[in-house]
Amino acid sequence: MKLHAMEASSRNHFQPKFVLIIIFVTLVVLTIIPVLYPLIGYPLYVSKASSSRPLPTTAYESQQPEPLPSIKISEGEDCDIFLGEWVPNHAAPYYTNTTCWAIHEHQNCMKYGRPDTEFMKWKWKPDGCELPVLNPAQFLEIVRGKSLAFVGDSLGRNQMQSLICLLSRIEYPVDVSYTSDERFKRWKYISYNFTLAYFSSTYLVKSKERDNNGPTHTGLFNLYLDEFDEQWTTQIEGFDYVIINGGHWFYRPSVFYENHQIVGCHYCLIDNVKDLTKFYGFRKALRTAFRAINSLENFKGVTFLRTFAPPHFENGLWNDGGNCVRTKPFRSKEIALDGDNLEFYMVQIEEFKRAQKEGRKKGKKYRLMDMTHASLLRPDGHPSRYGHWPNENVTLYNDCVHWCLPGPIDNWNDFLLQMLKMEGIRSHQERLVSGGKRMRFK
């Protein structure tokens, strides 16, 4: 009480000084907030961004992710976001095939008559923590002024188109591609100065179709395993984030070249050419792709390896009647990673560690987007026969490789957002450490 009386009696005397302190603290807070942005769960501008958009015209458009508390995954919390289970999410989906124009025809499952909808209503729950559903306003603010490229096969395009649909609740991008070739696309989010790109590279290295028929009638390809695919390696130096993926095309017959000589093949059925298996080609291709990135002196971005997403063909191979007709996710204990899926995954992990070790010497940053376990549990999320009309002649009639949109691949971008948040935290911590060193040397 005595202290309170003293404060009251001296209020008028200290008022000018108090006002100056308030002004100073306000300026400091406004300065620090942008720097610490990645540490914030859901920013204040979400409500502002939402209110500035036109009113939704459908129930799907009006659905927004529930605000969730900010999570701490590598700050003392023992949680691996890539291990967990799929749990129901009745708020999903956050777009439809009628509200998003970016869906590729072969992943437009609802258009082609898929009768069930439960496959769209799940989200990933890591063991021991939460993974928030992607908030589009937060994502766009984090990538403001930056650029992100997907490099690899059509599953990279699948994820990019999912991202465009998820972000469409805030803004659609403008096509700023340098070419009309659909394999190389660039999109620009004008309000955020954010560039999104896709560079198609089915094998990640230089390749050429040798025979459009081949032993399995799906083509025979020359793979130059020690040569860069310059259609993407010459394009990524200015990007802040690059997401690499691959694997599925290595099932196709191919001839392996190294040092301009044939060294072997995968199921090429050519006389006197040794079958080295698809995994040999995949390993060498990954190694060369990472070597290309490590050789780029001006590339200062972060490279993410998105790990192999297992296909779910049952009762036959992809070109021999195999199909995927399940309508619910597996639980973790119901299925194990094995066979070809395990081999592809292990090759990626081994080559990733090798590249990360070499890249560290040159200041390169590598991150693992380990989607294999979560994807393995979703046999229900593929188009199957609902990616085309019944009478169409298509190479992959029952598609158990790509993912319906909306569908499980939308959740891959939940992981992406969390990883971008962590990059912001790392960057902030590095600046603090660097700033401390500079102060000590002064």
Side-chain angles (χ1 to χ4, degrees), residues 356-407:
Q356 189 176 45
K357 182 179 179 180
E358 291 300 314
R360 193 175 290 120
K361 300 172 186 177
K362 300 181 179 181
K364 298 292 188 285
K365 292 177 281 190
Y366 285 90
R367 308 287 182 250
L368 191 69
M369 185 181 293
D370 193 344
M371 299 310 307
T372 300
H373 175 63
S375 302
L376 177 68
L377 303 183
R378 294 305 306 269
D380 57 319
H382 301 289
S384 180
R385 61 188 177 92
Y386 298 109
H388 53 84
W389 300 119
N391 59 344
E392 278 190 73
N393 182 20
V394 294
T395 300
L396 195 58
Y397 192 86
N398 295 326
D399 186 352
C400 304
V401 175
H402 299 91
W403 303 89
C404 293
L405 293 179

Side-chain angles (χ1 to χ4, degrees), residues 134-160:
L134 182 142
N135 180 288
Q138 186 183 51
F139 186 98
L140 285 168
E141 193 62 33
I142 286 177
V143 297
R144 182 185 289 275
K146 297 184 182 297
S147 53
L148 184 154
F150 290 92
V151 175
D153 60 30
S154 53
L155 280 178
R157 182 193 64 207
N158 203 175
Q159 184 179 1
M160 181 193 73

Side-chain angles (χ1 to χ4, degrees), residues 412-423:
W412 292 11
N413 290 310
D414 300 341
F415 288 92
L416 175 58
L417 174 56
Q418 181 58 37
M419 296 187 77
L420 294 180
K421 287 181 185 178
M422 297 312 299
E423 282 309 307

Side-chain angles (χ1 to χ4, degrees), residues 4-279:
H4 179 72
M6 289 174 63
E7 289 176 347
S9 64
S10 59
R11 187 177 299 149
N12 292 336
H13 178 70
F14 289 101
Q15 188 171 5
K17 184 176 180 180
F18 180 73
V19 171
L20 290 174
I21 291 173
I22 291 296
I23 294 173
F24 174 76
V25 170
T26 301
L27 290 173
V28 169
V29 170
L30 291 174
T31 302
I32 289 176
I33 282 178
V35 176
L36 296 182
Y37 172 78
L39 301 174
I40 300 174
Y42 273 80
L44 295 175
Y45 59 75
V46 171
S47 58
K48 180 180 179 182
S50 299
S51 63
S52 64
R53 292 182 289 117
L55 291 175
T57 57
T58 70
Y60 284 105
E61 288 179 278
S62 65
Q63 292 170 347
Q64 293 292 329
E66 290 295 323
L68 294 171
S70 180
I71 61 176
K72 297 180 179 180
I73 290 177
S74 60
E75 297 178 286
E77 184 173 288
D78 185 18
C79 178
D80 181 347
I81 60 172
F82 301 113
L83 295 178
E85 302 284 355
W86 291 95
V87 298
N89 177 21
H90 299 297
Y94 301 104
Y95 63 90
T96 71
N97 64 311
T98 61
T99 64
C100 181
W101 50 255
I103 300 175
H104 192 278
E105 280 295 286
H106 296 322
Q107 285 93 61
N108 198 341
C109 302
M110 305 315 290
K111 172 181 175 179
Y112 291 106
R114 179 164 177 168
D116 60 312
T117 59
E118 288 303 307
F119 71 93
M120 298 185 284
K121 299 180 179 295
W122 298 86
K123 67 178 179 179
W124 184 249
K125 172 65 174 68
D127 297 332
C129 62
E130 295 290 336
L131 179 66
V133 171
L134 182 142
N135 180 288
Q138 186 183 51
F139 186 98
L140 285 168
E141 193 62 33
I142 286 177
V143 297
R144 182 185 289 275
K146 297 184 182 297
S147 53
L148 184 154
F150 290 92
V151 175
D153 60 30
S154 53
L155 280 178
R157 182 193 64 207
N158 203 175
Q159 184 179 1
M160 181 193 73
Q161 291 170 339
S162 162
L163 184 59
I164 291 175
C165 288
L166 291 168
L167 298 180
S168 67
R169 289 171 284 165
I170 300 297
E171 184 175 320
Y172 271 115
V174 174
D175 190 340
V176 293
S177 304
Y178 300 161
T179 172
S180 59
D181 191 335
E182 290 295 314
R183 297 175 302 156
F184 307 101
K185 299 294 293 184
R186 289 179 189 248
W187 304 94
K188 185 88 168 185
Y189 287 83
I190 303 299
S191 301
Y192 294 86
N193 190 27
F194 168 53
T195 299
L196 184 62
Y198 167 64
F199 300 107
S200 175
S201 183
T202 50
Y203 293 105
L204 296 175
V205 292
K206 181 180 176 181
S207 63
K208 181 180 179 181
E209 189 170 48
R210 182 189 187 104
D211 179 354
N212 62 9
N213 194 23
T216 62
H217 310 292
T218 56
L220 176 64
F221 297 85
N222 289 342
L223 306 189
Y224 305 93
L225 296 175
D226 54 354
E227 296 186 46
F228 300 164
D229 179 357
E230 295 185 350
Q231 293 188 101
W232 70 268
T233 60
T234 60
Q235 300 295 314
I236 65 166
E237 279 196 286
F239 280 82
D240 296 287
Y241 309 109
V242 175
I243 301 176
I244 302 286
N245 86 281
H248 292 281
W249 273 73
F250 288 84
Y251 277 98
R252 301 193 182 205
S254 50
V255 179
F256 304 147
Y257 286 77
E258 293 181 66
N259 196 26
H260 308 292
Q261 301 291 325
I262 295 177
V263 296
C265 74
H266 163 58
Y267 198 67
C268 63
L269 304 185
I270 298 176
D271 291 341
N272 301 318
V273 177
K274 184 179 180 180
D275 195 318
L276 296 176
T277 80
K278 54 185 172 288
F279 304 114

